[in-house]
Amino acid sequence: MAKKQFPCGHRGQGQYCHRCAQEQNSLIKKEYDEKAHEEWMALFASDPVNLRKLENKQLIDKARNIIKDIHSGTPYTHYKGKRMRYDRNVISVPINRDYRLVFHVIEKKLQVHKLMSHEEYNVKKPGEKNQ
């Protein structure tokens, strides 16, 4: 089968130019990825605490689900959360081995206060006012 010249100027065999089709698909994918990234970054503005320091998407989604569930009434013990001994109004909920969500009891409701790394969490008492 002989190579033919396509309207784009490329040469090849087949009914259409596979090179141009591949370039078009990569442009579409790039535009989609940019749009998805912008939408993903916009979600951070609606978070009650800054979740940007979490390493990956799964951890961020897990943290968002924990915050949503606890604010909607799920007991913090469901996520292995614990009240702090030094202040019973401060509750720590682990996300993984490296990060904790700190909640405060305000008017008998749990409100997320801060996302803390394990190092921050062990150095400071997360409920103290002088942070």
Side-chain angles (χ1 to χ4, degrees), residues 65-79 103 108-111:
N65 286 335
I66 289 172
I67 292 169
K68 179 181 65 83
D69 289 349
I70 289 179
H71 283 174
S72 67
T74 303
Y76 61 87
T77 55
H78 179 76
Y79 294 104
F103 290 83
K108 297 185 180 181
K109 292 189 106 179
L110 288 176
Q111 297 296 322

Side-chain angles (χ1 to χ4, degrees), residues 95-107:
I95 295 176
N96 65 358
R97 291 179 58 173
D98 298 327
Y99 291 98
R100 306 279 185 274
L101 281 171
V102 177
F103 290 83
H104 284 207
V105 178
I106 300 172
E107 298 175 4

Side-chain angles (χ1 to χ4, degrees), residues 6-56:
F6 295 107
C8 60
H10 295 123
R11 295 182 58 84
Q13 299 172 349
Q15 296 181 358
Y16 62 93
C17 178
H18 292 277
R19 183 171 166 186
C20 289
Q22 185 178 16
E23 289 173 5
Q24 182 66 27
N25 286 341
S26 67
L27 284 175
I28 291 170
K29 185 178 184 308
K30 183 178 178 183
E31 289 173 5
Y32 175 77
D33 288 345
E34 288 174 358
K35 183 178 177 188
H37 181 72
E38 288 173 6
E39 291 172 358
W40 172 253
M41 295 307 287
L43 287 175
F44 285 106
S46 65
D47 289 332
V49 293
N50 186 6
L51 300 176
R52 291 175 196 250
K53 62 180 161 182
L54 293 175
E55 292 102 18
N56 59 39

